[in-house]
Amino acid sequence: MLSILDRSRDAPVASPVDRELLFGTYTKAELLKREVYKLLISLDRRGLVYAEPSSTAVGAIDVTLTPEFLASELASTPVFETERQNAAQLRALVPRLSVLTLETFLNRVYVARGVRAWAL
């Protein structure tokens, strides 16, 4: 997905294959949404993250890593190195990522690139 976002920074995705792959990332995320919510609740109960309903967006959850998690060995484990690199690349491709609402994120990543399936 990151390579598709990189290739289509300023224009909609031209390739039907890329558009289908981008659409696939959205649909897979929708299918896993419930599992992610359960994981966030579990991590919140264990004190690794703060997860609370968003005060600005209905149905959204604000998530913050706790200082205890950031200082733990888990955060610096090499297992997460690829994900840290992917996160850094995503931050570079989607400006102001940390302050975007879900709707704005979807618009910038999907709608602006020609994938509009959920806007029906």
Side-chain angles (χ1 to χ4, degrees):
M1 181 180 121
L2 291 173
S3 64
I4 294 170
L5 294 178
D6 191 29
R7 289 192 306 270
S8 63
R9 285 181 190 227
D10 302 321
V13 176
S15 165
V17 172
D18 283 353
R19 196 172 348 205
E20 187 62 32
L21 288 170
L22 197 57
F23 176 73
T25 64
Y26 177 81
T27 56
K28 285 178 187 174
E30 278 297 310
L31 292 172
L32 294 173
K33 190 187 297 185
R34 183 180 171 109
E35 299 304 315
V36 171
Y37 287 146
K38 287 192 262 184
L39 178 62
L40 286 174
I41 290 168
S42 175
L43 291 172
D44 182 68
R45 287 185 182 150
R46 293 177 187 196
L48 297 174
V49 301
Y50 298 119
E52 58 189 14
S54 176
S55 59
T56 58
V58 177
I61 298 174
D62 292 333
V63 179
T64 306
L65 296 175
T66 62
E68 295 81 14
F69 175 78
L70 292 172
S72 72
E73 289 182 32
L74 181 62
S76 60
T77 302
V79 171
F80 294 112
E81 184 57 35
T82 301
E83 295 310 318
R84 282 192 284 274
Q85 291 171 0
N86 287 342
Q89 187 176 0
L90 183 61
R91 279 193 304 273
L93 293 170
V94 182
R96 300 182 43 85
L97 180 64
S98 64
V99 296
L100 294 180
T101 64
L102 179 59
E103 182 178 344
T104 305
F105 174 79
L106 293 174
N107 283 331
R108 285 193 186 172
V109 173
Y110 295 100
V111 175
R113 290 172 171 81
V115 179
R116 300 178 186 255
W118 56 88
L120 298 174

